Amino acid sequence: MDARGRGRAGDVNPADQWVFNPDTGSYELRQQQAPRPPRQRQHPDAYADRQANPQADPYADPYAPPAEPRLPGQRRRPHEDPGGPRPSRRKPKPPKSRKQKVLMWGGGSLAFLMLAGCAGAYVLYQQLNGNINSVDVGENNAATTDGPVNILILGTDARTGKGNEGYGDAGSVGHADTTLLLHVTEDRKSATALSIPRDMITDIPQCKTREDGQEKTIPATPNQRFNTSLGQSGRDPSCTWDTVEKMTGLEINHFMMADFNAVKELSSAVDGVEVCTTKPINDPKSHLKLPKGKSVVEGEQALAFVRTRHSVGFGSDLSRIELQQQFLGSLVRKMKSNGTLTNPKKLYGLSQAATKALTVDKGIGSVKKLLELANDLKQVPQKNIEFATVPVLDNPDDPATVVMDKTKAEPLFKMLQADRPLNGGGKGKKEAQKVKKAPAAKVRVDVYNGSGVTGQAQNVLSWLQTSKGVPLSTNAGDAGTQNQAKTTLTYAPNQADQAATLADMMGLPKSAMKQTKTDAGAREAMKLSLGKDFTSVGTPIEAPDKAPEGVQHVSADDKNICAK
């Protein structure tokens, strides 16, 4: 503090450091202050002296010799003894080097910033917390888990809310316009973002909504567009949650839902997202105008890019999904770049935009829980994030909709259930012991149904006999339980060749193979018991090592994706 301020700066009064030395006839810097002498008991006449001279030092010794007169401008410290010994003259300390000054100022600045940062972080935490909306979906899962993570990401086309008024039907409650199921493997080394087409026909199961403490049951509706699982008939995200679980066989941990405004705000918070098209785009419906090649979009233009569909591909929702995957991959790369997450201003804007746009489940309904989840998921390398789409076929009954291609979709779901990455980079199936396979005509097997689905044994029997050339197969009826979890094939050592043939046909995993200790008779059949993991004939029970042929998937790390 300035010496002209309030007394002292650092317990040293600059004016008191300079004293007159009668030996040299000049002022000198005092390096050491004389210690204060112990207070002495005053003579009885001291009171009378103070009365006669009110300016006298109340702590002065009345019997001490008079002090030397002080020169103008000199001040003594309140407890300094003017008659005490004078300090010895010492050599002044050398000035601090530039490095020492930098360290001193840096240390002080760091301490200040840490203090200010803590206070600011608390205010920001409270503000961001207030931005987040949460919905009770009947689940209160912990923010993180030691196993695989499945997060349902919803983009709604609701027209309500600030920034959404100018799109489509005013007051619309919206649909599940964009839906991705993000699966993160247990080892956090890879992730798959699976897009679910909004116009795909599926069964919407019965679900329960909870609002203001009131629980309401919404009946199931078969053969509906997937996007009606949200918003329509009073359905909330818990209904989409149930629909996706039933469709994929995966257990969902959390959901996140955002509206149109999220795309605008997030793209602006990162100073734009790079996209690419192989031809110029001029879509009067989405108001998107882009030249051929690479462009950077943000705000309204970014929203127009993820909403357009008539100017790319076949003009369908499937082409729009590819645009959305390209945009999200580029957004992930931009957010992970050094210039975004290390820039306080950008990070602040990103945090504000994300929390204002989000509606989540109670399990991650606070900034603290969202940060826990984010810190867990950020371990996944960018190069190992894959985007894929549920395989579909044209619907012969309605050209405006599509139906699931179960031949490709079921193996894809099995991969996620088995926690395998689409790019084949995870643990593949173990090398099976090579066994010479028997001809299909010599395979003898009894088929039992334990899947819980009526008629499955007969379906397999018909498929084996008509499509695979296995005439020595029979329908043995129920397996004794209708809730058998896994399919098993029980065989004798001398039937290993037959078992290898059937396992290859059925796509049985090694865990399904149960070999007995004794050989079987010449006409004794193997026992194939169907479990709940059996879905349909021709669909392997074991998860494949990589995405089935024809399944669209791209890497989030691919910078060369360009919309056609």
Side-chain angles (χ1 to χ4, degrees):
M1 183 179 291
D2 194 310
R4 292 171 294 182
R6 296 176 55 190
R8 310 169 191 158
D11 291 332
V12 176
N13 191 325
D16 292 340
Q17 297 180 38
W18 295 89
V19 295
F20 181 77
N21 187 341
D23 296 331
T24 62
S26 62
Y27 290 96
E28 295 180 359
L29 180 65
R30 184 189 297 275
Q31 298 295 332
Q32 181 178 354
Q33 299 296 337
R36 175 188 170 188
R39 185 173 179 180
Q40 299 180 8
R41 185 167 182 171
Q42 295 184 357
H43 191 274
D45 292 338
Y47 176 74
D49 292 341
R50 286 198 303 271
Q51 290 291 89
N53 183 11
Q55 303 302 320
D57 187 349
Y59 299 102
D61 183 356
Y63 300 104
E68 294 180 6
R70 301 180 71 85
L71 296 177
Q74 275 191 286
R75 293 181 295 173
R76 67 170 176 237
R77 300 180 68 176
H79 304 301
E80 182 183 345
D81 181 6
R86 297 188 181 280
S88 61
R89 187 175 182 181
R90 296 171 58 185
K91 184 179 179 181
K93 295 180 179 179
K96 289 182 171 64
S97 68
R98 177 178 176 84
K99 182 177 181 181
Q100 288 173 317
K101 290 180 179 179
V102 169
L103 289 174
M104 180 180 68
W105 280 101
S109 300
L110 179 61
F112 176 80
L113 288 175
M114 287 178 64
L115 179 62
C118 290
Y122 177 76
V123 173
L124 179 60
Y125 175 83
Q126 296 289 54
Q127 186 182 42
L128 296 180
N129 241 7
N131 291 343
I132 301 172
N133 294 317
S134 61
V135 171
D136 184 2
V137 294
E139 301 276 356
N140 193 15
N141 297 329
T144 61
T145 176
D146 292 334
V149 180
N150 295 301
I151 302 174
L152 182 64
I153 302 174
L154 301 173
T156 174
D157 59 355
R159 271 66 176 179
T160 56
K162 185 178 179 180
N164 301 315
E165 305 91 345
Y167 306 99
D169 301 329
S172 170
V173 294
H175 304 73
D177 192 55
T178 300
T179 304
L180 295 98
L181 179 61
L182 177 64
H183 173 81
V184 182
T185 57
E186 182 177 354
D187 59 12
R188 304 297 187 263
K189 291 184 178 179
S190 62
T192 299
L194 184 65
S195 294
I196 303 176
R198 66 174 191 174
D199 296 326
M200 183 178 69
I201 299 299
T202 190
D203 295 336
I204 311 297
Q206 175 181 295
C207 61
K208 293 183 179 180
T209 61
R210 302 154 189 87
E211 186 175 0
D212 299 329
Q214 300 294 319
E215 188 173 271
K216 180 181 178 181
T217 300
I218 300 177
T221 51
N223 298 319
Q224 299 291 311
R225 290 184 190 230
F226 172 78
N227 67 350
T228 62
S229 64
L230 177 68
Q232 309 307 301
S233 303
R235 297 186 179 98
D236 69 7
S238 63
C239 298
T240 310
W241 181 307
D242 292 344
T243 303
V244 175
E245 282 194 337
K246 181 179 179 182
M247 178 191 303
T248 64
L250 292 164
E251 185 176 339
I252 295 173
N253 301 89
H254 301 291
F255 92 88
M256 299 179 182
M257 182 171 68
D259 56 18
F260 287 150
N261 210 39
V263 177
K264 295 186 290 184
E265 297 294 333
L266 286 173
S267 61
S268 296
V270 298
D271 293 337
V273 176
E274 185 178 85
V275 296
C276 181
T277 61
T278 57
K279 61 182 179 181
I281 292 180
N282 186 1
D283 186 353
K285 292 190 176 182
S286 67
H287 307 292
L288 178 66
K289 291 185 179 181
L290 286 179
K292 175 183 176 181
K294 293 183 178 181
S295 303
V296 176
V297 297
E298 66 173 284
E300 292 288 348
Q301 196 177 33
L303 178 60
F305 182 82
V306 298
R307 293 187 66 216
T308 191
R309 56 175 174 164
H310 298 289
S311 300
V312 293
F314 297 103
S316 68
D317 183 54
L318 298 178
S319 298
R320 189 179 69 155
I321 284 176
E322 293 182 12
L323 287 181
Q324 292 169 350
Q325 292 175 351
Q326 180 193 153
F327 177 86
L328 289 173
S330 184
L331 178 61
V332 168
R333 294 194 299 273
K334 190 68 176 285
M335 288 175 62
K336 287 201 169 194
S337 67
N338 292 332
T340 300
L341 297 183
T342 57
N343 184 315
K345 183 178 179 181
K346 291 182 181 180
L347 188 57
Y348 173 81
L350 191 60
S351 302
Q352 288 284 2
T355 52
K356 284 181 179 179
L358 279 180
T359 298
V360 299
D361 60 281
K362 296 289 186 182
I364 50 174
S366 70
V367 172
K368 179 182 178 182
K369 292 179 179 179
L370 278 173
L371 284 176
E372 287 179 13
L373 180 61
N375 285 330
D376 183 38
L377 302 185
K378 74 179 183 180
Q379 303 174 63
V380 181
Q382 180 177 299
K383 64 179 181 179
N384 291 341
I385 301 175
E386 293 277 321
F387 288 96
T389 304
V390 173
V392 293
L393 299 169
D394 291 335
N395 186 358
D397 299 327
D398 181 5
T401 62
V402 292
V403 294
M404 184 186 297
D405 183 351
K406 291 189 176 182
T407 303
K408 297 175 182 177
E410 294 294 350
L412 182 61
F413 296 154
K414 287 181 184 294
M415 285 193 71
L416 301 182
Q417 293 166 12
D419 204 29
R420 292 182 180 173
L422 298 190
N423 58 12
K427 297 178 180 178
K429 55 186 177 181
K430 296 180 180 179
E431 193 74 27
Q433 184 178 0
K434 293 183 178 181
V435 177
K436 185 179 180 179
K437 296 177 183 178
K442 293 187 176 182
V443 173
R444 191 182 296 270
V445 61
D446 292 339
V447 183
Y448 294 81
N449 186 14
S451 67
V453 179
T454 303
Q456 289 287 50
Q458 185 58 43
N459 291 337
V460 171
L461 179 67
S462 300
W463 177 73
L464 287 174
Q465 292 182 346
T466 59
S467 299
K468 294 298 180 179
V470 184
L472 302 179
S473 52
T474 60
N475 181 350
D478 291 341
T481 174
Q482 287 299 302
N483 293 305
Q484 182 175 321
K486 302 291 183 181
T487 299
T488 58
L489 176 62
T490 305
Y491 63 98
N494 61 336
Q495 295 173 325
D497 56 344
Q498 298 180 48
T501 302
L502 188 62
D504 186 58
M505 291 178 180
M506 298 286 297
L508 298 178
K510 186 178 180 181
S511 59
M513 312 299 285
K514 309 295 181 184
Q515 182 175 297
T516 62
K517 294 182 179 180
T518 57
D519 286 345
R523 292 181 174 271
E524 191 173 346
M526 299 183 294
K527 179 181 178 180
L528 175 65
S529 184
L530 304 176
K532 295 176 70 174
D533 58 348
F534 174 78
T535 53
S536 60
V537 293
T539 301
I541 294 175
E542 183 181 26
D545 289 335
K546 58 183 180 179
E549 191 73 25
V551 173
Q552 176 268 338
H553 64 101
V554 295
S555 171
D557 202 41
D558 190 347
K559 301 177 183 179
N560 299 316
I561 299 174
C562 221
K564 299 179 180 180

